[in-house]
Amino acid sequence: MSVSRPASARLGAADAEAAARAGLDTLVEPLRSAPELLGAHMGGVYLLSADGQALEMALSLGAIRQFVRGWQHVGLAAAIPVADAVREGELVWVGGAGEMARRYPRVAVAMPYAFSLAAVPLTAGGRRLGAVFFLWPAAHPAELSPTERGALGEIAGRLARRVAAADPPLRAGPRPLPVVPPGGAADLLAATVARLPDGVCAIGLDGRLTLVSAQAARLLARPADQLLGARPWTALPWLRDPIYEYHYRAAVISGEPSSFVALRPPDQWLSFRLFPDAFGVTARIAAAQVTRRALPVDPVPLEPVPHTRPGALYWILHLATALTEAASVQDVVSMVADQIVPGFGGRAVAVLLAEGGKLRIAGHRGYPPGLVDQFDGTPLTESTPGVRASTNPVPAFFENRAELERIYAGRRETQDGMAAWAYLPLVTSGRLIGTCVLAFAEPHHFALEERAVLTALGGLIAQALDRARLYDTKSGLAHGLQDSLLPSALPVVPGLRTAARYLPATEGMEVGGDFYDLIRVDDGGLAVVIGDVQGHNVNAAALMGQIRTAVRAFASVDADPSSVLAGTNRLLADLGTTLLASCAYLRVDLARREAWLADAGHPVPLLRGPDGRARLLSPRSGLVLNVDPDAEYPQIRIRLPVGTTLLLYTDGLVETPGGDLDQALARLADTFARHGGEPLDRLADTLIDQSGQAEQRTDDVAVLLVRSVVG
């Protein structure tokens, strides 16, 4: 919800935006050369958004625009080829429908056709500018040829140079600028007539009829002037079964002919043969003889009947697939903002929940900071659009400001800078939990089909939101448990410097069993402990707390490493748990500048000496805890002269799925040697960053550093 701006400011912004879009013409020529250089029949150019967080489709080549409604605006994190190309900075090639289903299942659900696709990033001077992508018909080989790779690089380079040189920077318009392949418009009539002698129709790149021959009009039983400019499945009620549009879409995407038969009431069967190319589809229509089945054919009503187009069905499936990946409430809000808002041409979205007699803002996107948040806590007794939508299970659609103000005159919510709104009830398991508000910058007509699709999407959002709220609750409890079990601060010990880091896994519940501790012992020394309990759940965190408590208890009686690990191991066996745990226990004698280490199947610590060389220690490792209650844990002596640094860590720092453990340990030792002289807090951060575990982790990570210094 944005505040109104002075007319002069709006005019200046509009002029700047128009200038930015006008420069898109400079990109037409390189994109238009693709069919000749590559043989690709469709494609488009994405430009990075002004905030650098999304890709916006600026130009569309051929018929692609009618198939990418849901991807005209995509976040950089989206699991689609163009976003991957920009993030990874390299060509992404998908060589057929099977590979698309394996690598990009969401795209395959929305476009279940046979085609190949290439996406190439647009870069200049190290700057990310956007991406260009192309589609090939199904007959294209599974691999790109060297010539095609070279042509892709040439086209991408020309586009990138023009985007980089533009002043002001180029920006995508509200709709992609259509680019017609060369030669299409001038030769359309001649090519259509030459291809098919019977009843002939030509369908343009937007799916609308551009030519209807006299014979075709007679067969379709509709004057040509009533068909031109319309989509066949809209103008002809008996073609409104989604299977007919599916055949059209399959022909356009795959580049291969398609055919079907349809019954024109009352009893005339017609055969349709669709012949696609880069400029559209030519349809040959002829009378057909169809053997009658035993069951009578139900008559098709002639009055206009709403129908759901395949694109709408695929859009619902696409969002349903995406929402299965949303774990938290904020994930759901982000998914709605990235998938629904651009797909329906919206500008902003807000998710509102009814909780405790008040309206709560679960999240929003597209509004200026702070504007939506001021409505958080609105009592449900007030008469506002958000309150009504969150307490009434009936969707509300306002196509312009006048419609909204007729009901809610003078309310602050109507002064949000938007011009049309869809309030979608969020109902799950028979409960109304809130509403999703989709806002448009311009007046927007909500067709009957669009209202039905948006309402259905509201149900999907509600289910995902309900799951996410439960996840957030469980995750909060788990994190609270784990935080209470890890030390809030490390003790200050004269003669030692210490630092620790703990990072939960970024998958699952984001909670695990890694732990560390520093324990003062009776003889004036210090016990240093690190361990890892199997699993990433509340059970692992709870057992971690029990092990940490057991180690502390045994260390207070006898700080000998072998005794502490043996006692902890027996205790785990008595608890009856099936979980395993690794642990490394180090007893430090500050007076002698030495330590004794025992290891229960834990990753080997590293030691960096005063000379700057780092090496892996060689303890005689015992079994992991809870395997054999009678296991023994031998110990080794380690010298700790001033300037020595010890690195203790859990396996999440070095182990990755499919990675080489020896190489990871070698890299860790090299990083430790090069940066080991830095302050410990900085060193801990460097070790995690260099390991590649800073952002995405399949396991939790604990790091504990101990340095011997002058007391």
Side-chain angles (χ1 to χ4, degrees):
M1 306 179 185
S2 68
V3 229
S4 299
R5 295 178 295 166
S8 58
R10 292 197 301 269
L11 184 59
D15 290 343
E17 188 175 14
R21 292 172 183 168
L24 296 177
D25 291 338
T26 62
L27 308 182
V28 170
E29 185 271 327
L31 187 63
R32 205 163 181 255
S33 66
E36 181 180 352
L37 294 176
L38 295 169
H41 64 312
M42 283 186 276
V45 173
Y46 280 92
L47 297 178
L48 208 60
S49 60
D51 61 6
Q53 300 302 308
L55 293 169
E56 299 172 332
M57 184 178 283
L59 294 90
S60 63
L61 172 68
I64 192 63
R65 176 176 156 189
Q66 58 179 307
F67 300 100
V68 293
R69 176 181 177 184
W71 295 293
Q72 289 186 16
H73 178 105
V74 296
L76 279 180
I80 65 173
V82 288
D84 280 359
V86 174
R87 288 197 311 271
E88 298 167 9
E90 59 185 26
L91 166 71
V92 172
W93 167 251
V94 184
E99 186 176 357
M100 183 68 77
R102 287 191 302 273
R103 295 175 57 187
Y104 301 100
R106 286 196 224 159
V107 178
V109 166
M111 298 179 66
Y113 313 114
F115 64 95
S116 298
L117 180 146
V120 186
L122 304 181
T123 60
R127 287 191 303 136
R128 298 189 301 188
L129 304 172
V132 60
F133 74 96
F134 297 105
L135 273 68
W136 282 262
H140 189 281
E143 298 294 335
L144 280 171
S145 69
T147 302
E148 289 171 327
R149 287 181 178 270
L152 279 169
E154 176 189 340
I155 293 173
R158 289 161 60 195
L159 288 168
R161 287 190 292 273
R162 298 185 185 199
V163 174
D167 186 19
L170 299 183
R171 294 284 177 253
R175 296 180 180 83
L177 179 67
V179 177
V180 179
D187 301 329
L188 180 60
L189 179 59
T192 302
V193 174
R195 278 194 294 259
L196 297 171
D198 278 330
V200 173
C201 292
I203 304 176
L205 298 178
D206 59 357
R208 299 178 184 277
L209 290 162
T210 57
L211 180 143
V212 179
S213 70
Q215 175 65 5
R218 283 192 292 271
L219 287 169
L220 297 174
R222 183 67 61 88
D225 59 357
Q226 294 182 17
L227 296 171
L228 290 173
R231 292 185 172 90
W233 29 90
T234 300
L236 301 168
W238 45 275
L239 282 182
R240 287 184 177 173
D241 190 313
I243 190 63
Y244 301 135
E245 188 184 357
Y246 172 84
H247 283 288
Y248 161 75
R249 295 167 69 93
V252 173
I253 293 292
S254 68
E256 297 183 334
S258 180
S259 64
F260 60 89
V261 294
L263 177 64
R264 189 202 73 198
D267 55 7
Q268 177 62 62
W269 287 93
L270 299 177
S271 71
F272 292 77
R273 294 274 308 200
L274 308 180
F275 299 86
D277 62 14
F279 314 118
V281 172
T282 298
R284 190 194 92 177
I285 308 172
Q289 297 297 323
V290 177
T291 303
R292 291 186 175 273
R293 298 172 183 248
L295 294 175
V297 177
D298 292 333
V300 179
L302 294 178
E303 67 273 8
V305 177
H307 69 295
T308 302
R309 300 174 55 236
L313 297 175
Y314 298 147
W315 180 244
I316 294 175
L317 291 174
H318 171 65
L319 184 67
T321 304
L323 285 174
T324 61
E325 301 175 10
S328 67
V329 171
Q330 288 309 310
D331 287 344
V332 175
V333 174
S334 297
M335 199 68 70
V336 171
D338 292 339
Q339 304 289 343
I340 289 188
V341 174
F344 289 89
R347 174 64 60 85
V349 66
V351 176
L352 316 177
L353 301 177
E355 294 180 340
K358 294 184 178 180
L359 193 66
R360 297 298 182 188
I361 310 298
H364 59 87
R365 185 86 68 83
Y367 294 108
L371 190 61
V372 175
D373 296 328
Q374 65 180 309
F375 302 109
D376 190 49
T378 301
L380 296 182
T381 54
E382 292 196 17
S383 177
T384 73
V387 166
R388 180 188 179 278
S390 299
T391 55
N392 188 330
V394 179
F397 299 92
F398 301 95
E399 299 187 343
N400 51 60
R401 180 173 297 280
E403 290 185 4
L404 185 67
E405 290 184 340
R406 265 199 303 270
I407 303 175
Y408 302 102
R411 294 294 311 184
R412 289 180 301 163
E413 291 86 341
T414 65
Q415 307 302 317
D416 62 357
M418 300 298 169
W421 301 263
Y423 288 85
L424 311 176
L426 303 179
V427 180
T428 177
S429 302
R431 296 177 296 112
L432 177 63
I433 62 174
T435 187
C436 176
V437 186
L438 186 61
F440 298 77
E442 304 293 337
H444 183 86
H445 172 62
F446 296 98
L448 186 60
E449 176 188 344
E450 187 174 22
R451 295 182 182 221
V453 172
L454 284 171
T455 302
L457 292 178
L460 294 176
I461 297 166
Q463 294 177 31
L465 199 60
D466 207 33
R467 292 193 305 269
R469 294 167 74 191
L470 179 61
Y471 173 90
D472 283 348
T473 300
K474 290 182 176 179
S475 182
L477 291 172
H479 279 292
L481 171 63
Q482 188 168 47
D483 290 344
S484 68
L485 295 175
L486 288 172
S488 56
L490 298 177
V492 177
V493 180
L496 284 182
R497 296 287 184 270
T498 59
R501 293 290 185 274
Y502 173 79
L503 297 176
T506 57
E507 299 180 4
M509 284 290 293
E510 300 182 3
V511 63
D514 287 13
F515 67 95
Y516 58 86
D517 206 355
L518 269 69
I519 309 166
R520 295 181 185 273
V521 292
D522 289 341
D523 58 2
L526 187 75
V528 180
V529 190
I530 192 166
D532 184 1
V533 178
Q534 174 188 11
H536 308 104
N537 50 40
V538 176
N539 292 336
L543 185 60
M544 173 264 284
Q546 291 175 304
I547 293 176
R548 180 169 172 250
T549 301
V551 169
R552 277 185 164 267
F554 286 118
S556 67
V557 176
D558 181 0
D560 177 73
S562 298
S563 301
V564 170
L565 289 186
T568 304
N569 181 54
R570 286 192 298 272
L571 177 64
L572 280 185
D574 292 341
L575 289 176
T577 178
T578 59
L579 296 179
L580 306 178
S582 67
C583 185
Y585 180 96
L586 187 77
R587 179 186 178 188
V588 179
D589 188 332
L590 294 173
R592 292 189 174 91
R593 294 287 173 179
E594 65 180 20
W596 292 88
L597 172 67
D599 187 284
H602 197 78
V604 179
L606 279 85
L607 181 145
R608 183 183 186 273
D611 59 0
R613 289 185 296 180
R615 63 183 176 88
L616 285 168
L617 297 176
S618 303
R620 291 177 288 172
S621 181
L623 291 172
V624 294
L625 303 176
N626 203 29
V627 171
D628 178 5
D630 298 320
E632 295 182 352
Y633 299 94
Q635 53 188 297
I636 62 169
R637 177 176 171 270
I638 304 167
R639 296 183 64 251
L640 294 178
V642 172
T644 301
T645 304
L646 277 171
L647 167 60
L648 296 91
Y649 56 94
T650 56
D651 56 4
L653 186 67
V654 290
E655 293 185 6
T656 55
D660 187 295
L661 180 58
D662 291 336
Q663 292 182 5
L665 286 172
R667 288 194 299 270
L668 179 63
D670 179 66
T671 303
F672 189 37
R674 287 186 291 108
H675 298 275
E678 297 176 355
L680 292 186
D681 282 324
R682 186 190 306 168
L683 174 59
D685 294 334
T686 299
L687 292 170
I688 291 174
D689 290 341
Q690 295 290 325
S691 71
Q693 304 294 336
E695 294 184 1
Q696 295 296 322
R697 298 175 297 280
T698 58
D699 196 359
D700 41 348
V701 176
V703 170
L704 184 58
L705 291 164
V706 179
R707 176 175 294 166
S708 176
V709 297
V710 177

